Amino acid sequence: MYGFNDGLTANFGLVAGVIGATAATQHEAVVVAGVAGLIADALSMGSSGYLAAKSEQEVYAHEIAMERDEIALMPELERDELALIYESKGMDREPAMELATQVMADPHRMLQEQVQEELGISDPHMSPLREGWVTGLATAFGAVIPVFPFFFLTGLPAIALAFVLSMASHFLVGAARSVFTGRGLFRSGLDMFVVGLGVAVVGYYVGGWIGKLF
């Protein structure tokens, strides 16, 4: 959803800027800018998603390695830490210590418990490569919406359809966010609608201003 929204909003602003700069008289310029923006944004977001997921994996691997060394060098201290964690979850002191001692007898199990309970690290849900592909494709799908009408229409009809599709998509994406945020569907959709409209207006007038300079 984040990638889709980024591609939609960024390319909508770009297309609006080119329209403002060319007064919609250069159809090819709008298409070229829109497609270039789509490719650039998709590659940027895809690579960012890949690098972020890879960095997260590397950080987790480093923390797990440090925890493994601590278990080997300070087993009693790590056992006491695990017992305290069990106590914080409602266990009495003696049963917590007994369970921690049992876990400590198996180094592999001990590492798993410490990684999950102390560090809060779970198995990754998505590989860096898949994260990059998913984010990049979602961004591309969002970015194609503002430029799509210009593939088969020109002039005012293309601009009007691009505006309607883009604004409707902004509203729908915002409304979909309400599933995760718990906010009202209409309010979430309206927020994204206003953001998209603001980006388009700013892009259009900035494009027109720059176009006059040249």
Side-chain angles (χ1 to χ4, degrees):
M1 185 174 294
Y2 174 71
F4 180 91
N5 184 61
D6 182 89
L8 171 63
T9 303
N11 222 30
F12 188 34
L14 176 62
V15 169
V18 175
I19 291 172
T22 63
T25 58
Q26 298 183 24
H27 178 80
E28 294 79 5
V30 176
V31 174
V32 170
V35 172
L38 182 157
I39 295 173
D41 206 20
L43 291 176
S44 175
M45 288 294 292
S47 60
S48 295
Y50 169 80
L51 292 174
K54 191 171 187 296
S55 297
E56 184 179 52
Q57 280 191 348
E58 291 172 350
V59 170
Y60 286 171
H62 177 65
E63 291 182 349
I64 292 172
M66 291 178 60
E67 190 65 33
R68 183 184 292 108
D69 292 340
E70 290 176 2
I71 292 173
L73 296 173
M74 302 175 292
E76 293 81 7
L77 181 61
E78 292 297 305
R79 179 201 60 198
D80 294 344
E81 284 184 358
L82 185 59
L84 288 174
I85 292 174
Y86 290 150
E87 285 186 56
S88 69
K89 293 188 172 184
M91 291 185 67
D92 293 332
R93 182 176 180 79
E94 290 187 6
M97 181 61 72
E98 290 177 2
L99 179 58
T101 302
Q102 293 176 4
V103 173
M104 193 69 197
D106 185 349
H108 179 69
R109 182 185 175 190
M110 180 63 179
L111 179 61
Q112 287 183 322
E113 284 286 293
Q114 288 291 74
V115 166
Q116 181 175 346
E117 300 294 344
E118 182 181 352
L119 301 181
I121 298 175
S122 58
D123 293 333
H125 298 291
M126 191 175 294
S127 69
L129 187 60
R130 187 181 175 193
E131 181 76 29
W133 274 108
V134 169
T135 304
L137 286 175
T139 303
F141 279 122
V144 78
I145 292 174
V147 72
F148 178 72
F150 293 91
F151 293 154
F152 56 90
L153 294 174
T154 59
L156 188 58
I159 296 173
L161 183 57
F163 179 81
V164 171
L165 289 177
S166 297
M167 296 311 301
S169 298
H170 274 98
F171 183 87
L172 291 174
V173 169
R177 288 173 54 204
S178 66
V179 176
F180 306 100
T181 63
R183 297 184 65 195
L185 186 147
F186 180 79
R187 179 64 183 275
S188 295
L190 184 61
D191 285 349
M192 285 305 306
F193 184 91
V194 171
V195 169
L197 183 61
V199 168
V201 170
V202 171
Y204 179 83
Y205 282 105
V206 170
W209 177 68
I210 294 176
K212 292 177 181 178
L213 293 179
F214 297 97

